[in-house]
Amino acid sequence: MARSKTKQISYIAVPSQFVHPLSSSSFQGILSPKKVSRPPPACRILSAARNPRAMILALLFLVSLLGILVISFRFDPFRPYSTLPCVISSSQGGNSKPSQPAAAVSAALLQMKEESQEVEFWRQPKGLGYRPCLGFSGEYRKASEVVRRENRRKYLLVVVSGGLNQQRNQIVDAVVIARILGAALVVPILQVNVIWGDESEFSDIFDLDHFKSVLADDVRVFSSLPSTHLMTRPVEEKRTPLHVSPQWIRSKYLRRLNREGVLLLRGLDSRLSKDLPSDLQKLRCKVAFQALRFAPSVIELGNKLTERMRSKGPYLALHLRMEKDVWVRTGCLPGLSHELDEVIHQERKRRPELLTARSNMTYEERKLAGLCPLNALEVTRLLKALDAPRNTRIYWAGGEPLGGTAALEPLRKEFPDMYNKEKLSLPGELDRFAKKASLLAAIDYMVCEKSDVFMPSHGGNMAHMIQGHRAFAGHKKFIMPNKRQMLPYFENPLLSETEFNSIVKELHRGSLGQPEFRADKAGKDVTAYPIPECMCNSTLRRSAH
């Protein structure tokens, strides 16, 4: 007897809310050419399971549907889909706009990326435990007693020149030279600046009483020569060589100073060696970061402008070296227009003595060597590459740029929230500083030094002094443009913006104000790189014991 064949029926589980409302007649039209309202594909499978031909077609349909879904999710991972098998989402074809959920996800991700970049831009470098340490040796402290006892017999007079920060550097070295010679220091005379015509005196810019008090154990400071020495003809030295040692100072000046009682020195810029014994390096830092405090009037206004900048959050300070004399002296060109470049060419021909750069280099060679200031467009590209938020509040320091405020337009276009001391101050606040370039520079210095992030468009005395000051204060973020390495990429038109930004960011990972050892910077100022002479790592010291 033939075995009866049992007909097997396969079932696919479908939620009841989609099956119960459907009658059996609803499944009979699957292959019908008649246009009827069709249920979703998953629901048709129940009837197809009873018909082999329908089953094959249903399987083909499912395979096709699966392929479409794979392709769809591969190219648009944020496309929303229904978790219900019998629900079909409508599509408008290739021209359809992203659905609202996808757009919302994309916007949220973009916002998260921007917020992450903003946090990273304002993030401060790690100080690695380095703190100021100006403890002098026992030998130095013992010698201080002799200096205090004998420095009423011999006096050092100095005349310092240049702008504010050039004068500061010379004052620092004047104190150290007085210490080397065991002489009292008469308050330095500030030479009238030939470019700005500033006749400010030491006490106009700096707090004289504070200066004397801080240095009382190192060098005695007198406001003027005592009456006993007024008629003394000082020994004058105008041509001190560059980078002389303490031994040279003593051998050259000490005998004559002991004999005459007064020594007059001029032009101290870079005359004293950058590499001195440890105690004298500490003295340099003590003068630069502790003794040379600005006068109360400067501090008052500087603090007010700082508070106004900080009132709406963190701010970036830029020192823009775009003045006419800077372009002339450096042998560089603004690069903003042919007319402005021609102005600099003519001024350089008329006054060749102002050119301090090497004349055997072309402008292009100087620029690629990193010897030229960045113009406003280059500063803008650098800041954007480093993820500076568009809403960054910027305080820009410096004199009137060549070309006026129009020269700053590329920067203002991308970062419209820009201020300087003139824009921040209230009516009348700057009146007492009018035509006082050194005092105005001191106000700029204060607002820059207290900023959350500082960046100069060019090196120089102010940039180096603020660099050291911010390190001494705990390594606040300081962006030093890596011009020599990055400028070739500025000139490469084949780089996409993404590639350019990535390269520039990588070039500056180590130039954001992290601790740097002066030992790795041959011939550099300890006032720019205070580690290890003026800053110690107490954690490492304890672990060593």
Side-chain angles (χ1 to χ4, degrees):
M1 184 177 179
R3 184 181 298 176
S4 62
K5 296 182 179 180
T6 304
K7 187 175 182 180
Q8 296 180 350
I9 301 177
S10 299
Y11 294 90
I12 296 178
V14 179
S16 59
Q17 64 265 36
F18 295 100
V19 176
H20 293 318
L22 301 174
S23 64
S24 59
S25 61
S26 301
F27 293 92
Q28 296 175 359
I30 293 178
L31 302 178
S32 173
K34 183 178 179 181
K35 294 183 179 180
V36 295
S37 176
R38 297 182 178 181
C43 298
R44 302 174 196 165
I45 298 173
L46 290 175
S47 109
R50 300 182 179 88
N51 188 324
R53 183 180 178 188
M55 186 67 178
I56 293 173
L57 291 176
L59 289 174
L60 288 175
F61 178 86
L62 287 174
V63 170
S64 300
L65 179 62
L66 180 62
I68 292 172
L69 289 175
V70 169
I71 295 174
S72 174
F73 282 107
R74 181 179 300 168
F75 288 98
D76 190 0
F78 296 109
R79 177 175 296 178
Y81 61 94
S82 173
T83 56
L84 301 177
C86 296
V87 176
I88 299 177
S89 59
S90 61
S91 174
Q92 301 299 324
N95 295 327
S96 63
K97 296 181 180 180
S99 61
Q100 291 182 356
V105 170
S106 299
L109 289 175
L110 180 61
Q111 182 177 356
M112 289 173 61
K113 179 181 177 182
E114 291 176 349
E115 289 175 353
S116 174
Q117 290 174 342
E118 183 171 349
V119 170
E120 186 63 30
F121 181 77
W122 298 115
R123 190 187 306 278
Q124 297 300 311
K126 295 179 180 179
L128 304 180
Y130 283 97
R131 296 291 183 269
C133 57
L134 298 180
F136 294 94
S137 68
E139 181 182 357
Y140 181 92
R141 293 195 299 272
K142 186 177 180 180
S144 295
E145 298 176 5
V146 178
V147 168
R148 288 193 296 269
R149 186 171 60 248
E150 296 186 355
N151 64 9
R152 289 185 179 276
R153 296 188 299 107
K154 48 189 179 182
Y155 297 84
L156 175 64
L157 292 172
V158 295
V159 178
V160 299
S161 58
L164 171 69
N165 293 287
Q166 191 175 358
Q167 291 173 343
R168 284 164 65 101
N169 287 337
Q170 294 173 59
I171 293 169
V172 169
D173 281 356
V175 173
V176 176
I177 292 173
R179 173 75 189 201
I180 292 170
L181 295 173
L185 176 68
V186 178
V187 173
I189 300 167
L190 309 188
Q191 182 175 310
V192 177
N193 193 293
V194 294
I195 296 178
W196 300 288
D198 190 349
E199 299 181 357
S200 299
E201 298 181 358
F202 185 98
S203 58
D204 295 326
I205 304 172
F206 303 105
D207 187 331
L208 179 55
D209 290 336
H210 178 79
F211 185 73
K212 291 179 179 181
S213 175
V214 171
L215 298 176
D217 293 333
D218 306 282
V219 173
R220 291 288 296 277
V221 179
F222 291 84
S223 299
S224 61
L225 275 175
S227 58
T228 55
H229 288 66
L230 285 177
M231 301 304 293
T232 303
R233 182 177 180 181
V235 177
E236 184 173 356
E237 181 60 57
K238 298 180 180 179
R239 298 182 180 179
T240 303
L242 294 172
H243 310 304
V244 298
S245 67
Q247 293 77 15
W248 189 97
I249 293 286
R250 293 191 189 98
S251 65
K252 181 72 173 179
Y253 301 134
L254 191 54
R255 181 178 298 178
R256 288 188 289 170
L257 177 59
N258 286 334
R259 183 177 67 246
E260 302 295 339
V262 181
L263 172 66
L264 173 61
L265 296 179
R266 299 178 183 271
L268 291 181
D269 196 21
S270 298
R271 302 303 170 182
L272 189 59
S273 172
K274 307 298 182 186
D275 301 307
L276 297 176
S278 177
D279 285 322
L280 296 181
Q281 296 288 62
K282 284 181 168 61
L283 180 56
R284 268 179 163 157
C285 292
K286 186 175 182 179
V287 180
F289 304 137
Q290 295 181 351
L292 279 175
R293 187 171 72 184
F294 289 123
S297 60
V298 175
I299 292 177
E300 180 185 8
L301 183 55
N303 284 336
K304 285 181 179 179
L305 300 189
T306 299
E307 290 169 4
R308 290 167 194 169
M309 284 301 302
R310 200 178 295 285
S311 62
K312 296 182 181 179
Y315 71 94
L316 162 71
L318 292 177
H319 186 210
L320 300 178
R321 305 299 310 280
M322 298 172 59
E323 301 95 329
K324 180 179 178 180
D325 71 288
V326 174
W327 296 118
V328 173
R329 286 188 290 104
T330 57
C332 300
L333 297 174
L336 298 175
S337 70
H338 173 74
E339 291 75 18
L340 293 179
D341 288 351
E342 188 59 28
V343 168
I344 298 302
H345 275 305
Q346 295 303 321
E347 185 69 14
R348 203 170 288 143
K349 288 180 181 179
R350 190 172 67 88
R351 302 185 64 186
E353 72 277 5
L354 294 179
L355 180 62
T356 58
R358 286 174 286 180
S359 58
N360 61 339
M361 296 178 68
T362 66
Y363 156 64
E364 289 78 11
E365 290 171 338
R366 279 192 286 269
K367 185 176 181 66
L368 290 177
L371 301 177
C372 294
L374 298 176
N375 61 30
L377 179 59
E378 292 161 343
V379 168
T380 303
R381 294 192 67 190
L382 174 56
L383 288 176
K384 290 180 66 177
L386 296 178
D387 293 328
R390 178 173 170 79
N391 64 351
T392 296
R393 289 166 58 79
I394 294 178
Y395 179 89
W396 67 272
E400 181 74 10
L402 178 66
T405 55
L408 300 178
E409 195 54 34
L411 181 60
R412 197 185 307 276
K413 182 178 179 181
E414 293 294 334
F415 301 96
D417 215 359
M418 290 180 60
Y419 306 85
N420 62 357
K421 52 186 172 292
E422 286 79 14
K423 188 174 180 180
L424 276 180
S425 58
L426 301 178
E429 283 185 322
L430 289 177
D431 289 352
R432 56 181 167 172
F433 304 109
K435 298 182 180 179
K436 301 284 186 180
S438 292
L439 290 170
L440 294 173
I443 293 170
D444 274 343
Y445 187 99
M446 276 200 65
V447 184
C448 289
E449 196 282 317
K450 292 177 177 292
S451 65
D452 298 273
V453 179
F454 174 76
M455 188 181 88
S457 67
H458 191 49
N461 293 305
M462 179 170 172
H464 292 152
M465 188 65 76
I466 289 184
Q467 178 181 358
H469 213 143
R470 291 174 74 85
F472 200 75
H475 290 95
K476 294 189 290 183
K477 189 167 185 177
F478 178 99
I479 302 172
M480 177 58 77
N482 194 339
K483 291 185 287 185
R484 183 175 299 180
Q485 294 189 37
M486 76 177 182
L487 282 174
Y489 297 103
F490 277 70
E491 306 296 327
N492 187 347
L494 301 179
L495 282 177
S496 68
E497 185 176 1
T498 301
E499 292 173 317
F500 173 83
N501 292 349
S502 177
I503 291 171
V504 170
K505 195 177 299 181
E506 184 63 31
L507 288 175
H508 288 83
R509 288 196 185 280
S511 305
L512 301 176
Q514 303 94 329
E516 295 186 70
F517 279 75
R518 198 183 73 87
D520 301 330
K521 309 289 181 181
K524 297 296 184 180
D525 289 301
V526 70
T527 51
Y529 300 94
I531 299 176
E533 289 97 337
C534 302
M535 299 186 74
C536 311
N537 190 319
S538 56
T539 305
L540 292 179
R541 181 181 294 176
R542 284 196 298 270
S543 62
H545 292 293

